Amino acid sequence: MGEQRRERADAARNRRAILEAAEELLRLHRPDEVSIEQVAAAAGVGKGTVFHRFGSRAGLMLALMEERAQELSEAIAAGPPPLGPGAPPHERILAFLDAMVALASRNVGLITAHEHAVATQRSAAGPREANPVYRRWHAHVSELIARARPDLDATLVAHLLIGSLHNEPVARLLLDGESERLAAGLRSLATSLLGPGSAPM
């Protein structure tokens, strides 16, 4: 039993070391310059350990993305309104879009790294909708749109709003530090789609 606990503790330490090393390398280098070998060396583990824990470079970047998105997920589920429960659906949608852009602007290097990894590693590639972070965000926004405007195709509209972050010209806005412009544009789009009730105060 004691040996199993030690193994679990070692695995947890290795995972944390790998994620922290990847985060630091992404802070210092362009996403396409960060390799699994570099991450392993910086974390003090073997390359095989990284692959065992995360499966691929894309898997590693996705794990980092999930960690960064956890705080937003918790705020959506149980935080104060308007991001959390208790506000009208249109207010929650606008609050979520603001929070999503803020999170993306703080982690644009990581998002770019994940996109690059998926694009260059066919075995790791898959539909964006398979990304658990994207799935959670899409389900949340779809539900709110359906409540605010039952006449709309909530599934499609949610894809249009959230998927815009993966559009190259939009990603360029984040890289250029124009997150406020992007947030304002998404709010205007959402307001136009959802109707007068969603107009900002």
Side-chain angles (χ1 to χ4, degrees), residues 138-159:
H138 181 267
H140 173 64
V141 174
S142 294
E143 179 187 356
L144 293 175
I145 292 171
R147 288 168 53 196
R149 286 287 306 273
D151 56 311
L152 293 180
D153 184 338
T155 298
L156 175 59
V157 173
H159 279 311

Side-chain angles (χ1 to χ4, degrees), residues 79-87 92:
L83 190 55
R92 295 194 68 193

Side-chain angles (χ1 to χ4, degrees), residues 124-198:
R128 181 167 294 124
E129 293 79 3
N131 181 323
V133 175
Y134 187 97
R135 282 205 312 271
R136 286 196 297 271
W137 289 359
H138 181 267
H140 173 64
V141 174
S142 294
E143 179 187 356
L144 293 175
I145 292 171
R147 288 168 53 196
R149 286 287 306 273
D151 56 311
L152 293 180
D153 184 338
T155 298
L156 175 59
V157 173
H159 279 311
L160 292 173
L161 290 172
I162 301 173
S164 63
L165 285 183
H166 301 274
N167 180 285
E168 187 172 343
V170 172
R172 176 56 57 185
L173 290 177
L174 292 173
L175 288 168
D176 292 343
E178 295 194 69
S179 58
E180 291 185 9
R181 179 184 175 193
L182 175 55
L186 281 175
R187 287 176 67 89
S188 295
L189 178 59
T191 298
S192 299
L193 290 168
L194 298 175
S198 59

Side-chain angles (χ1 to χ4, degrees), residues 6-197:
R6 280 194 296 272
E7 288 179 359
R8 285 196 296 268
D10 287 345
R13 279 195 299 270
N14 284 342
R15 185 179 190 278
R16 172 53 47 197
I18 292 166
L19 290 174
E20 289 178 352
E23 189 170 28
E24 179 64 11
L25 287 167
L26 285 170
R27 189 181 68 82
L28 297 173
H29 304 283
R30 285 173 37 187
D32 58 353
E33 295 174 344
V34 177
S35 67
I36 289 291
E37 290 82 0
Q38 289 172 302
V39 172
V45 301
K47 178 179 174 181
T49 300
V50 180
F51 279 112
H52 176 72
R53 294 293 306 177
F54 301 101
S56 65
R57 185 172 179 273
L60 171 59
M61 299 306 165
L62 178 58
L64 264 178
M65 287 175 63
E66 287 191 278
E67 288 223 340
R68 301 280 183 86
Q70 183 60 34
E71 184 177 344
L72 177 54
S73 296
E74 292 172 357
I76 290 169
L83 190 55
H90 63 270
E91 291 184 12
R92 295 194 68 193
I93 291 169
L94 295 180
F96 172 78
L97 292 175
D98 285 345
M100 180 183 72
V101 172
L103 179 66
S105 67
R106 293 194 301 269
N107 298 282
V108 63
L110 174 56
I111 293 171
T112 304
H114 180 257
E115 294 285 320
H116 179 267
V118 168
T120 56
Q121 296 175 6
R122 288 176 180 244
S123 61
R128 181 167 294 124
E129 293 79 3
N131 181 323
V133 175
Y134 187 97
R135 282 205 312 271
R136 286 196 297 271
W137 289 359
H138 181 267
H140 173 64
V141 174
S142 294
E143 179 187 356
L144 293 175
I145 292 171
R147 288 168 53 196
R149 286 287 306 273
D151 56 311
L152 293 180
D153 184 338
T155 298
L156 175 59
V157 173
H159 279 311
L160 292 173
L161 290 172
I162 301 173
S164 63
L165 285 183
H166 301 274
N167 180 285
E168 187 172 343
V170 172
R172 176 56 57 185
L173 290 177
L174 292 173
L175 288 168
D176 292 343
E178 295 194 69
S179 58
E180 291 185 9
R181 179 184 175 193
L182 175 55
L186 281 175
R187 287 176 67 89
S188 295
L189 178 59
T191 298
S192 299
L193 290 168
L194 298 175

